[in-house]
Amino acid sequence: MSEKNRDGKRNARERLAAEREKQKAAERRRRTLIVAASVVCVLGLAAVIGIVAANAGKDDDSADAGPVVAPSGAQGKDALAIPVGKDDAKSTLTVWEDFRCPACKAFEAAYRPTIHELTESGQLRVEYHLVTLIDGNMGGSGSRNAANAAACAQNAGKFPAYHDVLFENQPEETDDAFAENSKLIELAGKVDGLDTPEFRTCVEKGTHNSWVAKSNQAFQDGRFGGTPTVLFNGKNIYQDQSMTPAKLKQMVEEANQG
C-alpha cells in the first residue's frame, strides 16, 4: 500500500472519530437541556402550586374575616333566613339559592310571578338562604359578593327587588362578573332608592361576608343535593318532576283552606 493511501485511510478514521465525538457532545448537550427543562417545569409547577395555595388562603381569610353580621330582619336558626311575605302566612317556602347558579335563575324565571302573587296576597312566606356553591365549584367570589350585596339590600328594605335584578342580570356561570363590587353597585341602580352611600359601603366592605359563609356552611351541613333546593312546608318539592307554578299555587291554596 502506498504512503498516499495510508494517509488517506488515517485521515478518514480521524474524521470519523471526530464526527463521533461531535455526536456524543451533542447528545450530552441534549440530555443536559432535557434535565434543565425538567427542573424548570418542576420549579414552575411548585411556584404555581404555591401561588394557588396562597390565593386560596387569601380567599378563605376574606370570606371568614370579621364578625358574623346578619342583615336587618333576618330570621330562623342563627338568623340565616331572609324572609319575604307575611309572618302569619300558613305556608312557608324555603329556598336555598346561589346568584351564580343557572338552575336557580331558571327556577326564578319560571316561578317568580307565582311566588310574588302568593307573597303579596299574604298566602305564602318565603325564607331565602344564600349559598356560594358556584364559587366553590368554579372558583372566584361572585356568589359570595352577590349574596353580601343582597344582604345589604335587605338592610335597606330592598331585598326582593334586588334579588330579582341579580338573577335577571346573571352572567354566564364561568364569568365571575359578580365578584366586582362595581357591577353589584351598578345593578343596584335598577332598584329605586337602593344605590345609597350606606349600601355602597356595605357592599365594598363585605359587611355580611362572614354571615354568607355561615349560611353556606349550613347548606353543606344540611347535605342538600344542590341549588336551588326548594322546600314547601319542609318537604323538598324541587325534586318533584311534576311540579309547576300552577301546582305550587294549588298546594298553597289548599294549605290555606286547611
Side-chain angles (χ1 to χ4, degrees):
M1 180 181 295
S2 65
E3 186 66 24
K4 183 177 181 179
N5 289 339
R6 282 197 296 270
D7 291 342
K9 288 183 178 181
R10 184 170 58 252
N11 291 337
R13 286 195 298 270
E14 290 174 353
R15 286 195 300 271
L16 181 59
E19 184 62 29
R20 286 175 177 171
E21 187 59 34
K22 287 182 182 179
Q23 291 176 354
K24 290 179 181 179
E27 180 65 18
R28 286 196 296 270
R29 285 195 299 272
R30 188 180 72 83
R31 290 176 179 174
T32 300
L33 288 173
I34 290 174
V35 171
S38 299
V39 171
V40 170
C41 289
V42 170
L43 292 176
L45 179 60
V48 169
I49 292 173
I51 292 171
V52 170
N55 287 339
K58 290 178 182 177
D59 288 343
D60 289 343
D61 290 341
S62 62
D64 299 330
V68 175
V69 180
S72 176
Q75 299 179 359
K77 183 180 179 181
D78 296 326
L80 295 179
I82 295 180
V84 175
K86 296 182 179 180
D87 289 342
D88 60 355
K90 292 185 177 180
S91 295
T92 299
L93 196 69
T94 304
V95 182
W96 296 82
E97 289 184 318
D98 184 327
F99 287 112
R100 287 181 70 186
C101 164
C104 297
K105 179 179 179 178
F107 168 77
E108 286 294 331
Y111 284 82
R112 180 182 299 131
T114 300
I115 291 175
H116 281 190
E117 177 187 347
L118 294 171
T119 55
E120 290 169 5
S121 64
Q123 299 181 74
L124 180 68
R125 180 175 183 271
V126 183
E127 295 182 348
Y128 289 99
H129 295 260
L130 307 182
V131 181
T132 59
L133 185 66
I134 306 301
D135 283 358
N137 292 344
M138 304 295 295
S141 59
S143 299
R144 183 199 68 194
N145 289 7
N148 171 68
C152 296
Q154 169 67 10
N155 294 335
K158 304 286 185 178
F159 173 82
Y162 189 62
H163 164 276
D164 293 351
V165 165
L166 288 175
F167 277 117
E168 289 166 358
N169 293 272
Q170 184 188 81
E172 294 294 323
E173 186 177 11
T174 55
D175 180 2
D176 196 24
F178 283 169
E180 299 296 330
N181 289 330
S182 58
K183 179 64 175 178
L184 298 170
I185 291 172
E186 174 191 333
L187 292 176
K190 296 179 178 292
V191 178
D192 290 342
L194 179 57
D195 187 4
T196 64
E198 292 78 12
F199 175 80
R200 290 186 173 219
T201 298
C202 182
V203 170
E204 291 168 350
K205 287 189 174 181
T207 299
H208 302 293
N209 280 357
S210 293
W211 176 84
V212 173
K214 190 168 185 177
S215 177
N216 188 67
Q217 185 60 54
F219 173 78
Q220 294 177 352
D221 293 344
R223 299 187 182 280
F224 298 114
T227 53
T229 290
V230 185
L231 311 176
F232 178 72
N233 291 337
K235 179 182 178 181
N236 194 328
I237 63 170
Y238 190 72
Q239 296 176 340
D240 182 354
Q241 298 297 319
S242 67
M243 184 59 58
T244 63
K247 183 175 180 178
L248 173 62
K249 183 177 180 179
Q250 181 181 357
M251 292 169 63
V252 171
E253 291 174 344
E254 290 175 354
N256 287 335
Q257 293 172 359

